[in-house]
Amino acid sequence: MKTGTHPTAATHAHRTVLTSAPQDAPVDRATAAARRVVDAMLRTDRGNANLDRVAEGLDSIADHLEEHAPAVAERLIDMWNGEGVTRHDPVTGPENAIAPPLILEGLEDGSVQGTVTLTLPYQGPPGCVHGGVSALILDHVLGVANAWGGKSGMTANLVTNYHRPTPLFEPLVVTGRLVSVDGRKIRTVGSIATTDGQLCVSVEGLFVDRTVPRPR
């Protein structure tokens, strides 16, 4: 993420949207359809859904997309060209079919917050969110919180505490907040909770003020 390109609490209004908004564009519609397919595959009746025909259709679609895919190095340049708000990450990206996707807002107290409902693709224990998915979401949210606080960095350590099972099929409130900066060290906290305030997961993150160069 390029310095100065991301909204911060010091420069932008309360409830500024910090993630790439879905658009009525072909790629967004195609990604939303792919997201439906992933979810539907987990819910379908495996004995009566004519999955041979489904496989043929999906293979045909994959063949078509692969025929129009540029080299990976070229695609990476295209992905990272822009103002710094990504559309392709696995948590908030509207162009990524494995993203829920989560929409985050920056609040005037310096924190970021969003609400997301996770379904079967994110399951770990029966009816509950996989712990690795919770960690993935919170790692990303803490990065967005750092940017909202005017900093950016790479994750050095993420201490994750699981307080209770995180339910699927229910709205979940995800938060993050930068708490301190000590030289190159950035410390950030976050959580996932139910809408009635039951804490499910909390994290404490240590980030180092450095970035990976954009592809060129």
Side-chain angles (χ1 to χ4, degrees):
M1 191 169 292
K2 294 189 292 187
T3 303
T5 61
H6 197 287
T8 70
T11 60
H12 285 69
H14 178 59
R15 295 204 173 278
T16 294
V17 176
L18 302 176
T19 47
S20 297
Q23 302 171 1
D24 186 24
V27 64
D28 290 52
R29 295 196 300 272
T31 303
R35 195 175 289 121
R36 284 186 60 201
V37 169
V38 171
D39 187 80
M41 282 296 299
L42 287 166
R43 290 187 292 106
T44 196
D45 181 343
R46 292 176 294 171
N48 293 291
N50 195 358
L51 293 180
D52 283 334
R53 183 174 64 84
V54 171
E56 290 177 5
L58 292 177
D59 277 335
S60 175
I61 291 170
D63 289 343
H64 173 77
L65 293 173
E66 288 169 356
E67 287 171 7
H68 292 82
V72 172
E74 182 181 343
R75 182 68 182 104
L76 285 174
I77 292 171
D78 179 57
M79 280 181 167
W80 287 99
N81 180 40
E83 82 292 352
V85 177
T86 60
R87 293 178 51 80
H88 50 78
D89 73 73
V91 176
T92 66
E95 292 185 23
N96 192 330
I98 71 171
L102 171 64
I103 297 174
L104 293 167
E105 295 180 331
L107 307 185
E108 60 189 356
D109 65 0
S111 68
V112 301
Q113 179 176 298
T115 302
V116 66
T117 299
L118 300 173
T119 55
L120 285 178
Y122 309 100
Q123 181 174 232
C128 300
V129 179
H130 192 291
V133 171
S134 296
L136 167 68
I137 290 172
L138 285 168
D139 179 54
H140 186 78
V141 169
L142 265 55
V144 175
N146 289 339
W148 181 240
K151 294 291 181 179
S152 63
M154 302 291 293
T155 309
N157 190 34
L158 192 70
V159 179
T160 308
N161 296 293
Y162 298 92
H163 302 273
R164 57 172 46 82
T166 304
L168 296 174
F169 312 113
E170 292 184 22
L172 300 168
V173 179
V174 187
T175 63
R177 179 170 56 87
L178 188 157
V179 294
S180 68
V181 178
D182 180 10
R184 296 178 60 212
K185 295 180 178 179
I186 305 164
R187 298 188 184 276
T188 319
V189 298
S191 67
I192 298 175
T194 60
T195 55
D196 61 0
Q198 295 187 72
L199 180 63
C200 299
V201 187
S202 63
V203 294
E204 298 177 6
L206 171 64
F207 295 77
V208 178
D209 186 3
R210 62 173 297 182
T211 57
V212 174
R214 289 188 177 209
R216 296 181 182 278

